[in-house]
């Protein structure tokens, strides 16, 4: 088998899907809205892992592309469990537009016995190649940061021990999975407060950016003494931490500009 030729479309699909979901996140942020997507990663399964899975599931080599659905994998991380379902809605809205949803697997409601929690969506995605359009399978995993931390550790241990995970390690993993679940629950309880703080920080950041843009523009028009006074005024207001006064200062600069 020419693995380089086989995996090339999967690599292309991963890169395209990463760009699409990162663009969705950027759009939310550009509009000063909260983004349910925290960050996005992707990977193409290693050849050794593909062959190992094919052997385990008794899949002939010539049927690998038809029967292994996670050769291309995208992982979308969210801050809160509620965000996962918002991302799911975003993906469902794209169904039969630039991708086709094949199957959804809810391992959040139906947690695996190991403690694994995540939401998987299997899609078929069209890749434009030099030989024409090719539809391939890809798996999108959507999970919280806590779920991802646990899953990353569990995957490393399972890879090390294969099918011989020591009982003590498995018990500790189960306890850690419960701790990750409780963390997500706690974060859900304080979600509104966290979002308010993040929104306040974003507004403050935007305001400071506007002030500096105005000051830089005025730097071309005003003398050094006037500019020093403006900077001193800004730093005084900044140290006071009074957002109302900073807003008034920003508005006064806009009128000057």
């Amino acid at each position: 088998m020419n693995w380089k030729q086989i995996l090339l479309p999967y690599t292309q699909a991963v890169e395209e899907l990463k760009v699409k979901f990162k663009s969705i996140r950027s759009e939310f942020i550009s509009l000063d809205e909260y983004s349910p997507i925290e960050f996005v990663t992707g990977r193409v399964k290693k050849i050794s892992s593909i062959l190992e899975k094919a052997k385990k599931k008794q899949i002939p080599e010539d049927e690998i592309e038809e029967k292994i659905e996670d050769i291309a994998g995208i992982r979308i991380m969210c801050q809160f469990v509620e965000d996962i379902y918002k991302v799911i809605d975003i993906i469902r809205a794209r169904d039969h537009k630039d991708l086709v949803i094949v199957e959804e697997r809810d391992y959040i409601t139906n947690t695996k016995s190991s403690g694994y929690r995540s939401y998987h969506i299997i899609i078929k995605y069209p890749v434009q190649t030099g030989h024409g359009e090719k539809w391939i399978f890809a798996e999108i995993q959507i999970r919280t940061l806590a779920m991802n931390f646990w899953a990353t550790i569990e995957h490393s241990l399972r890879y090390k021990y294969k099918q011989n995970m020591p009982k003590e390690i498995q018990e500790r993993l189960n306890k850690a999975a419960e701790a990750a679940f409780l963390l997500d629950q706690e974060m859900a309880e304080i979600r509104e407060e966290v979002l308010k703080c993040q929104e306040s920080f974003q507004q403050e950041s935007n305001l400071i950016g506007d002030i500096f843009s105005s000051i830089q523009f005025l730097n071309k028009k005003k003398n050094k003494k006037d500019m020093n006074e403006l900077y001193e005024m800004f730093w005084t207001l900044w140290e006071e931490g009074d957002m109302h006064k900073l807003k008034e200062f920003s508005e006064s600069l806009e009128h000057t500009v």
Side-chain angles (χ1 to χ4, degrees):
M1 293 180 73
N2 186 339
W3 281 105
K4 186 175 182 180
Q5 184 177 357
I6 289 170
L7 295 182
L8 200 57
Y10 291 92
T11 302
Q12 186 176 329
V14 166
E15 293 307 312
E16 289 182 13
L17 287 166
K18 282 198 300 183
V19 167
K20 288 184 179 185
F21 287 112
K22 286 179 181 180
S23 295
I24 292 170
R25 169 178 161 74
S26 297
E27 183 180 347
F28 277 107
I29 293 170
S30 296
L31 296 172
D32 293 330
E33 295 178 14
Y34 172 75
S35 172
I37 298 173
E38 184 65 13
F39 64 93
V40 182
T41 62
R43 62 97 186 100
V44 174
K45 218 174 185 66
K46 293 179 180 177
I47 297 170
S48 57
S49 298
I50 295 171
L51 292 174
E52 188 178 336
K53 188 165 188 175
K55 182 180 179 183
K56 182 181 177 182
K57 293 184 175 288
Q58 297 183 326
I59 299 171
E61 281 195 7
D62 60 348
E63 295 180 15
I64 282 175
E65 290 189 86
E66 299 168 31
K67 295 186 177 179
I68 295 184
E69 301 166 329
D70 64 343
I71 294 176
I74 296 294
R75 191 168 293 160
I76 300 174
M77 258 62 75
C78 306
Q79 290 193 71
F80 305 99
V81 174
E82 186 176 324
D83 295 338
I84 292 173
Y85 296 100
K86 290 181 179 178
V87 174
I88 292 167
D89 287 340
I90 289 171
I91 296 171
R92 285 174 180 165
R94 302 180 81 108
D95 190 22
H96 285 84
K97 292 177 182 176
D98 60 346
L99 55 84
V100 173
I101 295 174
V102 176
E103 186 180 355
E104 297 185 31
R105 298 166 185 167
D106 185 353
Y107 298 122
I108 298 173
T109 304
N110 307 300
T111 309
K112 286 189 175 183
S113 58
S114 64
Y116 178 84
R117 293 164 64 235
S118 186
Y119 199 100
H120 293 191
I121 299 180
I122 305 299
I123 65 168
K124 290 209 83 172
Y125 182 78
V127 177
Q128 305 303 321
T129 74
H131 301 287
E133 185 175 77
K134 180 174 182 177
W135 285 79
I136 64 168
F137 282 112
E139 180 183 71
I140 303 173
Q141 298 178 352
I142 314 153
R143 55 176 68 154
T144 64
L145 299 171
M147 291 176 194
N148 188 61
F149 176 73
W150 182 90
T152 302
I153 300 300
E154 192 267 355
H155 178 78
S156 299
L157 288 170
R158 198 161 294 283
Y159 180 81
K160 176 182 177 181
Y161 291 109
K162 302 296 181 184
Q163 302 302 317
N164 302 307
M165 180 87 75
K167 186 179 179 182
E168 180 191 358
I169 298 293
Q170 185 60 64
E171 287 173 353
R172 286 189 169 187
L173 274 174
N174 290 340
K175 288 179 181 177
E178 181 64 21
F181 173 70
L182 291 174
L183 175 59
D184 277 334
Q185 281 191 317
E186 287 295 323
M187 293 304 293
E189 292 289 330
I190 61 170
R191 181 178 184 274
E192 291 306 315
E193 190 62 31
V194 172
L195 292 181
K196 282 179 186 175
C197 290
Q198 289 179 341
E199 184 180 357
S200 176
F201 175 80
Q202 189 61 49
Q203 288 175 349
E204 184 177 323
S205 178
N206 291 342
L207 180 58
I208 299 305
D210 291 342
I211 289 172
F212 269 99
S213 293
S214 297
I215 289 176
Q216 284 178 343
F217 183 81
L218 288 170
N219 194 39
K220 301 171 185 176
K221 300 168 63 177
K222 290 185 174 290
N223 59 48
K224 189 175 181 180
K225 182 183 176 183
D226 289 338
M227 291 309 301
N228 286 339
E229 287 176 358
L230 281 177
Y231 278 116
E232 284 178 19
M233 196 180 302
F234 166 71
W235 288 118
T236 300
L237 293 172
W238 172 251
E239 287 173 2
E240 289 178 7
D242 190 324
M243 289 298 293
H244 181 68
K245 288 182 180 179
L246 278 168
K247 198 167 184 179
E248 288 182 342
F249 178 62
S250 178
E251 289 171 357
S252 70
L253 288 175
E254 288 175 8
H255 291 309
T256 307
V257 170

